[in-house]
Amino acid sequence: MKQYLSKIIKVAFFAALVVLQVKCSSSSDTVDPAPKPPVKPDLPTVVTNDVDFWLTKGDQTVLLTKQNGVLGFNTTVNSYTNIEVNEAQKYQTIDGFGYTLTGGSAEVINQLTTQKKNDLLQELFGSTETSISINYIRISIGASDLNEKAFTYNDLPKGETDLDLAKFSLDLDKNGVIALLKEILAINSNIKILATPWSAPLWMKDKDSFVGGSLQTQYYDVYAKYFVKYIQQMKNEGITIDAVTPQNEPLHGGNNPSMVMSALQQTNFIKNNLGPAFKAANLTTKIIAYDHNCDNTQYAMAILGDPIASPFVDGSAFHLYAGNINALSTVYNAFPNKNLYFTEQFTSSTGDFKGDLKWHLKNVIIGSMRNWSKNALEWNLANNGSFEPHTQGGCNTCKGALTVNSSSSFNRNVAYYIIAHASKFVPVGSIRISSNISGNLQNVAFITPTGKKVLIVENDGDTSEIFNIKFNGKWVTTSLDGGSVGTYTWK
């Protein structure tokens, strides 16, 4: 009996010990269930970059720099402003963006060392990742006021005439503009060139001065042949002139050089002389009327509305030293079958970077494009640190896109970035497409020949704004500081 009780006590003791061990090894009074397989955590959605974004800030801390942030199209709802781009709505085809290659510009650029000049021309006119790909330039027929001195291609001693233009010569530009143009064309053979005279030869004018005066009626025909000879001789140099205007700023006779040409005078010159001369010489060079400020639409419309002059005229050109850029749409609405061009606007030595960046992007780039222009040109490409060369009485405050400091040094100025935000991304043959303006977010959109979409946005306000770029029912969210410019591209 004692042995039996002893066994019961031992069994009870060991049972209690097992229970105690289980309790000591567990954090609860219940036995853990069988372990479950581990659960994978939710992984974050991977956002791929759909939109490339190039930025210039008005404070110059960022200058035409590609941003590293990820901009992916999505459908996550937010309350930010939309800029909606619609590629189905198409407008004008674009010829390009650029500058005037003045005689002074050529002079200072040609002072650079061979290597420095080659690198600069590749940057300006090339098609590499580091190029801004300028695709349209304007040149003067003879001198502009940003040459060291005034001249034409047929200057004679006082009292002499040359009705056969036997003494016509491009020699004064051979080592300057023409030589540099040949180097540019070796980089981009398709660049478009617009040529414009500041004055006719003095012997053709009613005033023996480069400043002001008008073309005498008796010389209309020989002056038309002067244009033909110019185009033909430039062609012999390997330079194709895409278009001409009969006169730079025809209502401004105070520049050196300059020449006044009323709307009636230009109409008569085109329909009776210049147009027929081009036709007789089988020239395909376009004739573009007016080439002056937006405060006068009647000048261009008088020529475009003339039944004899109009067939010779491709369209009209404008500057914006007076008036409103909307004037281009006024002309377009009256003559939708004629083209529009924006051919000059200068940045001043007294201006500030942020103010000029805002105004010129809003008006010259975005404004001209939204009002049917096929191109947008800033004024001179380059000058030196003293804003030279220029003629006596010529512009002494015109700041080039580049300041050439020495044979090995140059600076990029605000006009460089104004044009680069368009020229680098919008090649010849691109088409403007629809995009809405919202508040301070001035913008214009394009589709390139390869199908890439380009949106240029300028924040015309003083504070940063967050907004959406909406396309095909999806959007990306981005932001721009006040006074900053962004160019956005996507396929």
Side-chain angles (χ1 to χ4, degrees):
M1 184 67 178
K2 286 182 179 180
Q3 288 179 337
Y4 178 73
L5 288 173
S6 177
K7 285 182 179 180
I8 292 175
I9 291 169
K10 285 181 180 180
V11 170
F13 174 80
F14 283 112
L17 185 61
V18 169
V19 170
L20 182 61
Q21 286 177 333
V22 170
K23 285 195 172 186
C24 287
S25 64
S26 175
S27 59
S28 68
D29 291 337
T30 59
V31 178
D32 286 341
K36 294 180 180 179
V39 178
K40 289 184 178 180
D42 290 335
L43 294 174
T45 303
V46 177
V47 179
T48 58
N49 188 65
D50 297 317
V51 179
D52 289 333
F53 168 31
W54 295 73
L55 174 68
T56 294
K57 290 189 174 184
D59 63 7
Q60 302 182 65
T61 56
V62 180
L63 295 170
L64 193 66
T65 303
K66 189 175 182 180
Q67 301 303 288
N68 294 323
V70 175
L71 293 176
F73 282 108
N74 64 78
T75 56
T76 304
V77 175
N78 65 54
S79 59
Y80 300 124
T81 296
N82 289 327
I83 297 175
E84 186 160 3
V85 176
N86 180 6
E87 66 177 325
Q89 182 65 56
K90 292 181 170 67
Y91 302 94
Q92 77 273 26
T93 301
I94 306 305
D95 278 355
F97 301 87
Y99 306 92
T100 296
L101 179 65
T102 61
S105 297
E107 182 178 325
V108 297
I109 290 173
N110 283 333
Q111 290 170 1
L112 293 169
T113 65
T114 300
Q115 187 60 55
K116 197 72 174 177
K117 182 169 74 167
N118 289 345
D119 291 345
L120 173 60
L121 295 182
Q122 285 290 343
E123 177 183 331
L124 294 176
F125 302 101
S127 56
T128 68
E129 182 67 21
T130 56
S131 301
I132 64 169
S133 303
I134 295 165
N135 42 28
Y136 202 117
I137 49 179
R138 183 177 179 230
I139 59 176
S140 58
I141 301 175
S144 75
D145 60 306
L146 294 190
N147 276 78
E148 191 173 1
K149 64 177 183 179
F151 64 86
T152 74
Y153 298 133
N154 198 263
D155 293 328
L156 302 173
K158 188 174 180 179
E160 292 187 15
T161 62
D162 181 19
L163 300 183
D164 295 326
L165 300 177
K167 297 180 180 179
F168 181 99
S169 174
L170 298 176
D171 283 355
L172 289 175
D173 268 334
K174 284 280 182 73
N175 296 325
V177 168
I178 291 173
L180 193 58
L181 273 175
K182 290 178 180 180
E183 294 184 65
I184 292 168
L185 287 166
I187 296 170
N188 178 5
S189 60
N190 295 317
I191 196 164
K192 291 185 180 293
I193 301 171
L194 167 68
T196 303
W198 265 241
S199 175
L202 299 191
W203 57 270
M204 299 185 193
K205 296 172 71 172
D206 61 6
K207 179 182 181 183
D208 186 32
S209 171
F210 277 110
V211 180
S214 296
L215 182 67
Q216 295 185 65
T217 307
Q218 62 182 316
Y219 295 118
Y220 274 27
D221 195 52
V222 70
Y223 194 43
K225 292 175 182 175
Y226 178 92
F227 277 82
V228 171
K229 198 148 195 172
Y230 168 74
I231 293 166
Q232 290 173 336
Q233 290 202 10
M234 290 293 276
K235 186 70 173 179
N236 291 340
E237 296 290 334
I239 299 167
T240 299
I241 303 300
D242 181 70
V244 297
T245 66
Q247 175 61 41
N248 172 69
E249 299 190 343
L251 300 179
H252 174 34
N255 202 359
N256 180 24
S258 60
M259 188 171 78
V260 175
M261 184 179 275
S262 70
L264 179 59
Q265 288 171 329
Q266 190 165 123
T267 301
N268 288 335
F269 178 58
I270 291 172
K271 73 180 181 181
N272 297 321
N273 310 99
L274 189 61
F278 277 24
K279 184 177 180 180
N282 293 315
L283 297 182
T284 57
T285 303
K286 303 180 187 78
I287 298 172
I288 300 172
Y290 187 45
D291 208 4
H292 208 168
N293 286 329
C294 286
D295 60 342
N296 187 332
T297 57
Q298 292 305 311
Y299 190 118
M301 291 197 289
I303 298 169
L304 298 177
D306 186 279
I308 301 174
S310 184
F312 292 120
V313 176
D314 175 83
S316 53
F318 289 84
H319 307 173
L320 191 55
Y321 302 115
N324 189 292
I325 195 64
N326 294 339
L328 276 67
S329 282
T330 300
V331 177
Y332 174 82
N333 290 335
F335 299 94
N337 62 326
K338 295 295 184 179
N339 292 315
L340 285 147
Y341 301 86
F342 190 91
T343 50
E344 183 188 314
Q345 198 70 24
F346 87 100
T347 51
S348 174
S349 61
T350 60
D352 70 280
F353 188 99
K354 183 176 182 178
D356 284 341
L357 185 73
K358 288 175 64 174
W359 191 93
H360 285 249
L361 257 296
K362 178 181 178 180
N363 292 282
V364 175
I365 303 298
I366 296 168
S368 72
M369 292 292 109
R370 293 187 73 95
N371 286 281
W372 297 96
S373 185
K374 291 177 70 66
N375 70 349
L377 308 180
E378 286 285 312
W379 178 211
N380 56 316
L381 178 57
N383 50 16
N384 64 24
S386 301
F387 310 105
E388 296 171 336
H390 59 76
T391 62
Q392 185 175 356
C395 182
N396 60 7
T397 59
C398 291
K399 180 192 290 186
L402 305 168
T403 299
V404 177
N405 304 306
S406 68
S407 63
S408 59
S409 169
F410 63 86
N411 298 333
R412 299 167 186 83
N413 300 321
V414 64
Y416 174 97
Y417 299 101
I418 291 165
I419 290 297
H421 265 279
S423 61
K424 185 175 178 68
F425 311 99
V426 185
V428 176
S430 298
I431 300 171
R432 179 170 71 92
I433 57 177
S434 175
S435 65
N436 62 295
I437 296 283
S438 182
N440 288 320
L441 299 174
Q442 303 292 311
N443 66 83
V444 64
F446 307 90
I447 184 167
T448 72
T450 61
K452 182 176 286 188
K453 271 64 69 179
V454 180
L455 177 69
I456 303 170
V457 185
E458 180 259 333
N459 182 350
D460 206 47
D462 296 321
T463 59
S464 180
E465 291 202 30
I466 303 172
F467 60 96
N468 299 318
I469 299 170
K470 191 172 182 181
F471 180 74
N472 282 352
K474 294 183 178 182
W475 49 88
V476 297
T477 303
T478 184
S479 66
L480 277 177
D481 290 346
S484 294
V485 179
T487 298
Y488 302 83
T489 67
W490 67 94
K491 287 296 284 185

